[in-house]
Amino acid sequence: MSNERVINFGAGPSALPTDVLEEATKGLLNFQGTGIGIAEISHRSKEFTAFLNDAESHIRTLLEVPPTHKILFTQGGGSGQFSSVVLNLLARHRLLHPELKDEERVMDYVVTGSWSKKAMEEARRLGRGRVNIAADARKYSKDGKAFDNIPAHDEYAFSADPALIYYCENETVDGVQFSDDLGSPAAFPFHKLQQGGLLPLVADYSSSFMSRPIPRLADHAVIFAGAQKNLGPAGLTILIVRQDCIVDVDAAAKLGAVPVPIMLSYKTLADSKSLYNTPSVLPIYIAGLVLQKMSAGGGLQVYAQSNRQKFEKVIAALKKGEEKGVFKGKVKEGSVSWMNIVFDVPGEGRLQGFLDGAAERKMKGLAGHRSVGGVRVSLYNAINQQDTDRLVEYMNEYAATVV
Amino acid sequence: MSNERVINFGAGPSALPTDVLEEATKGLLNFQGTGIGIAEISHRSKEFTAFLNDAESHIRTLLEVPPTHKILFTQGGGSGQFSSVVLNLLARHRLLHPELKDEERVMDYVVTGSWSKKAMEEARRLGRGRVNIAADARKYSKDGKAFDNIPAHDEYAFSADPALIYYCENETVDGVQFSDDLGSPAAFPFHKLQQGGLLPLVADYSSSFMSRPIPRLADHAVIFAGAQKNLGPAGLTILIVRQDCIVDVDAAAKLGAVPVPIMLSYKTLADSKSLYNTPSVLPIYIAGLVLQKMSAGGGLQVYAQSNRQKFEKVIAALKKGEEKGVFKGKVKEGSVSWMNIVFDVPGEGRLQGFLDGAAERKMKGLAGHRSVGGVRVSLYNAINQQDTDRLVEYMNEYAATVV
């Protein structure tokens, strides 16, 4: 069966390692010799709680998460966290500064693509506070409208003592990513943030989580990620939360904060070790198997190196195609995501032709997001060098035949 | 592999049909010949959206859900809905009656066990309204503390024009269930509700969903259920929502209602056909396969009949054991759940002996909830007559040898 599988360059849900899926087929019928499948076993059984602790400890080791931060598992995806970060961090701010008026509670949003824009809109809709756009990448785009760049460091205007500072590390739709090289002009401008104290810095890492180390992880208040890119099936959301951000939301509500639904409170998740109610056991299982494979395979640096190589290969093919006028990259050099490379295939019917040719060669999931069109190549961890080579070969072949 | 499986009487996550799990192992690697596994395929692919629509239509047919009601899929479990029903139905009430003060918005809760109690506590914590306990089963228990009965119809005191009326159809921890026979004194007292108009009636059906038809389904505003009992893996929550309860929560917030996190708004789910963000694709897949099997197997009445038979067999064995003083049922006659039968095994060390003996005979998951102890036999759909017979045989054997 597995040799009939195609290469899936989809942006999420996305490819998972075939050997992990094969292992999971066994667990589905009989988890660790219990005689009960993983989807059927009690989330409070000693077998499952040990598995959950193990998954957590792999994340802690792979990402070098310090003891100041808890690792929590929840449901609801990135969009769920758009609400949760606002509710929990405004509650924290209210407890720290009960005297402030609502309009004095500022939430700084760095808007570099569709997802950070959506998160910002949720803050406006939900939060009892004021949104400050610390930077909007569209201002610096070619046409004033596209999300095609990471703004220059001079362009960020952060507030003093905000309730939260929000950015999306990798924009899956637009193919824009902050650099992990802190010396790069496309790195997140950590040096411009207020120095000293505990920053309320929030990062959406959904589509790059576990693809490479997280720069300045310890300085973050909350890092969140849906699992369905590099890690596992949809239905699992992973949080890394600094302990001062796990606050008594009920006490904050008494002071005027928006009441927080019980499952959205970080305190609920932390106090129950992510088992307040039944978690998404099956997605956790597959993500756990992927984490075991990552640790056994040499850790995060091995993946980071491989991901860089894959990125460079595709970029080289894209550039070659651009020189011939066959492809047209959408994102400014230096801001291009390792995970999602987006480009156009200009010319009547050419995009469809490119996608059809890929499908004939058993490569799928290459259509861009419906809001922007074009091609999107997602190079998550489960895409290996051979898969990448197959695509690069096809890109080169396509560029050669079109002209 | 599958013949090593034990019988899993666990209360949830719980047993799933072996043939469905075997089918799912194929889909995990290659979903419907796409060459992409179900956990990896885009939730916006035509293959997955067709599958989702099919699952919805099986639910609609099996439960005879009228066109007045939408079927929605979400995440977060029953506990997530404890918050959602309060937020959405208070928003509805606010839009209908903007002139009322917060303390004039009443939420009626029928408290018959641990789960309805938790739901009521969330309403107190979260809602901008007043909770009225329409009935509390503990008042009518043997010791004034236990949830061991469904109150008599005379004991319910509902409010006039409440924002919501809440009950939990089956209490998984306590083993108490409303009768599906509307002539029974243990049926929900529909006849005592305000007549005419659209009632804001909410039912938690988590642990009995799809085990038998839902009485007076069309009169409900919201029915919700976590999938992890009769239907599928944890991580999927199914909602049946009457369309007048899908309201503009932002408009309500402007009138003073609690702002609703975007993913908790029924309108978000309905407008996007449950695809506002990535749903829990893999749990949906397995639940979908179970639904297909149910339809092919003759529909809900077949399951209802089988479930009644299973229940009667275990109850007969329990009574025999009671006569010998070996077992002691915890729930008042007539209020006993079909799905979760709870009893004690009195005497030093006897409970553990009973559970150990079951485990030796490859029957697991029989320990009662940690808050109440004892034995709990969960007889969800995936437990068949043979499984039940095995347990009954053991119960009889145990009762015979102990004395």
Side-chain angles (χ1 to χ4, degrees), chain A residues 5 16 40 125 250 260, chain B residues 5 16 40 125 250 260:
Chain A
R5 280 163 59 84
L16 292 168
E40 308 167 294
R125 209 182 65 79
D250 291 341
V260 184
Chain B
R5 281 163 59 83
L16 292 168
E40 309 167 293
R125 210 182 64 79
D250 291 341
V260 184

Side-chain angles (χ1 to χ4, degrees), chain A residues 5-232:
Chain A
R5 280 163 59 84
V6 303
I7 307 177
N8 174 14
F9 290 101
S14 43
L16 292 168
T18 303
D19 54 351
V20 163
L21 293 176
E22 280 164 352
E23 173 73 19
T25 62
K26 294 179 206 154
L28 208 52
L29 283 151
N30 193 336
F31 176 60
Q32 295 184 349
T34 54
I36 296 176
I38 181 65
E40 308 167 294
I41 202 164
S42 169
H43 57 295
R44 304 204 187 271
S45 65
K46 63 180 190 303
E47 292 86 357
F48 180 73
T49 52
F51 187 89
L52 186 69
N53 290 339
D54 183 62
E56 182 192 323
S57 106
H58 281 293
I59 295 172
R60 193 170 285 283
T61 306
L62 288 164
L63 283 174
E64 300 182 33
V65 179
T68 44
H69 287 64
K70 295 244 184 201
I71 297 168
L72 304 171
F73 300 93
T74 187
Q75 302 180 46
S79 300
Q81 288 307 306
F82 293 173
S83 312
S84 291
V85 295
V86 167
L87 293 174
N88 284 278
L89 290 182
L90 277 180
R92 172 180 179 270
H93 198 254
R94 174 99 35 182
L95 291 168
L96 290 172
H97 307 290
E99 73 290 355
L100 292 181
K101 293 185 188 130
D102 286 355
E103 61 271 22
E104 294 171 312
R105 297 186 199 284
V106 185
M107 297 178 277
D108 280 351
Y109 276 79
V110 173
V111 179
T112 52
S114 316
W115 288 110
S116 46
K117 179 168 169 282
K118 267 198 160 178
M120 178 272 288
E121 286 162 356
E122 177 65 355
R124 278 210 178 122
R125 209 182 65 79
L126 189 62
R128 211 160 280 167
R130 183 169 61 80
V131 167
N132 168 53
I133 309 287
D136 186 327
R138 287 170 294 190
K139 281 198 206 164
Y140 317 107
S141 71
K142 294 168 203 153
D143 64 357
K145 283 187 292 188
F147 287 117
D148 62 3
N149 71 94
I150 294 293
H153 287 173
D154 285 350
E155 308 297 347
Y156 293 78
F158 294 108
S159 310
D161 201 14
L164 66 90
I165 307 159
Y166 186 102
Y167 71 102
C168 175
E169 199 264 347
N170 181 62
E171 288 282 358
T172 325
V173 170
D174 308 285
V176 173
Q177 185 175 26
F178 286 95
S179 173
D180 62 336
D181 169 5
L182 292 183
S184 155
F188 186 82
F190 293 101
H191 62 282
K192 294 198 73 180
L193 302 175
Q194 202 171 309
Q195 297 305 302
L198 293 168
L199 286 173
L201 184 61
V202 175
D204 174 359
Y205 259 83
S206 287
S207 50
S208 56
F209 195 69
M210 286 294 163
S211 67
R212 64 189 190 193
I214 295 179
R216 304 277 295 260
L217 184 146
D219 288 336
H220 288 76
V222 181
I223 289 167
F224 67 84
Q228 69 272 17
K229 312 291 180 177
N230 288 296
L231 206 53

